[in-house]
Amino acid sequence: MFHESARFYDAIYSFKDYAAEAGWLRYLLTEHGHPAGTLLDVACGTGAHLLHLRDQYQVEGLDLDPGMLDVARAKVPGVPFHQGDMLDFDLGRRFDVVVSLFSSIGYVRTVDPLAKAVANLARHVAPGGLLAIEPWFSPAQWKSGMLHALLVDERDLKIARMSRSEPAVDHLSVLEFHYLVGDEQGVRYVTERHELGLFEDHEYRRAFEQAGLTPHRDEEGPSGRGLYFAVRGTDE
């Protein structure tokens, strides 16, 4: 998915306030009995959230994209990072907190994989632990025909990224990213196609319930997209 943009992903999303989002998450976790402990970030990307959580938690990250993991390992040295798919990874142990942020859950695309992914994340949550998932947009929230542009203007890196949201088909959103990139290698044009499932509230809730968890939703969440979370029973 990020085969073209992994190495300059952080430059593209430099506007994103990872420190504030991590602070919001720490507050939620503390409120639910986890001011510290072990934490696994699934679909961790370049490890930007973990950079701000590692002082309070014993953190690990997991991502499908090897390019993202290369950046994460350089950015957050000493933190264990694993390559795997959220649908079927198995680390052989449980964590006090398991999170999946920045709407990465949308990449499962359809309802059955959504349930499979939530169940797999839940299997990695220790008794009494907490699972938190930041959703992608719902079908009602998705707006087709939206034109977006972003500019990176650093000394040795220039990027112009443009995209136009396509109409959703079968609750699947599509974004075709177009990059004009200038760096020490010259100037080149690359594209990426991203497909994310548009899930309804009841579909997220049912996935949690099928995993044996009672979900709650914070409408704002760390970045304005909301957050689903649940605490696993202590007798499991």
Side-chain angles (χ1 to χ4, degrees):
M1 289 169 289
F2 297 95
H3 57 282
E4 297 291 350
S5 63
R7 72 183 191 87
F8 49 77
Y9 182 93
D10 285 341
I12 294 171
Y13 289 101
S14 61
F15 65 87
K16 189 171 172 64
D17 194 342
Y18 286 99
E21 292 182 14
W24 187 97
L25 184 63
R26 282 196 302 269
Y27 177 80
L28 175 77
L29 297 179
T30 299
E31 286 289 293
H32 290 83
H34 294 286
T38 57
L39 184 149
L40 174 66
D41 185 359
V42 177
C44 65
T46 63
H49 286 111
L50 296 181
L51 187 65
H52 301 285
L53 292 168
R54 61 178 175 173
D55 289 341
Q56 196 161 349
Y57 297 90
Q58 185 179 339
V59 300
E60 299 188 26
L62 180 138
D63 202 275
L64 181 62
D65 192 298
M68 291 289 215
L69 291 172
D70 287 342
V71 176
R73 291 182 179 113
K75 182 196 299 185
V76 199
V79 169
F81 287 98
H82 314 274
Q83 185 175 2
D85 192 319
M86 67 170 65
L87 294 174
D88 56 14
F89 76 91
D90 183 2
L91 298 185
R93 61 190 187 283
R94 293 180 171 186
F95 298 79
D96 298 315
V97 177
V98 176
V99 301
S100 184
L101 303 172
F102 205 11
S103 302
S104 299
I105 193 68
Y107 285 102
V108 302
R109 302 177 74 247
T110 58
V111 172
D112 287 345
L114 171 65
K116 184 176 180 181
V118 173
N120 195 34
L121 269 63
R123 278 194 291 271
H124 286 79
V125 179
L130 186 143
L131 170 64
I133 296 176
E134 185 175 10
W136 179 236
F137 298 114
S138 70
Q141 293 170 324
W142 181 251
K143 294 180 175 61
S144 64
M146 297 291 291
L147 188 62
H148 297 274
L150 181 149
L151 178 66
V152 174
D153 188 12
E154 300 178 0
R155 177 179 176 180
D156 298 317
L157 178 65
K158 313 292 184 183
I159 303 171
R161 188 189 79 173
M162 296 187 69
S163 65
R164 186 176 184 272
S165 58
E166 300 180 14
V169 178
D170 295 329
H171 287 190
L172 188 69
S173 64
V174 177
L175 286 167
E176 191 85 26
F177 289 116
H178 300 260
Y179 300 92
L180 189 63
V181 182
D183 57 16
E184 72 280 357
Q185 300 175 14
V187 178
R188 62 196 182 279
Y189 167 71
V190 296
T191 63
E192 285 181 343
R193 182 179 176 88
H194 292 248
E195 299 181 353
L196 295 93
L198 300 167
F199 301 117
E200 303 278 8
D201 175 74
H202 70 86
E203 291 171 328
Y204 284 110
R205 292 182 183 274
R206 185 169 63 221
F208 271 80
E209 290 163 358
Q210 289 174 342
L213 301 173
T214 301
H216 305 276
R217 178 181 168 93
D218 184 281
E219 293 300 325
E220 183 66 19
S223 69
R225 295 179 180 178
L227 188 81
Y228 290 93
F229 66 95
V231 176
R232 178 174 289 285
T234 56
D235 58 346
E236 298 181 44

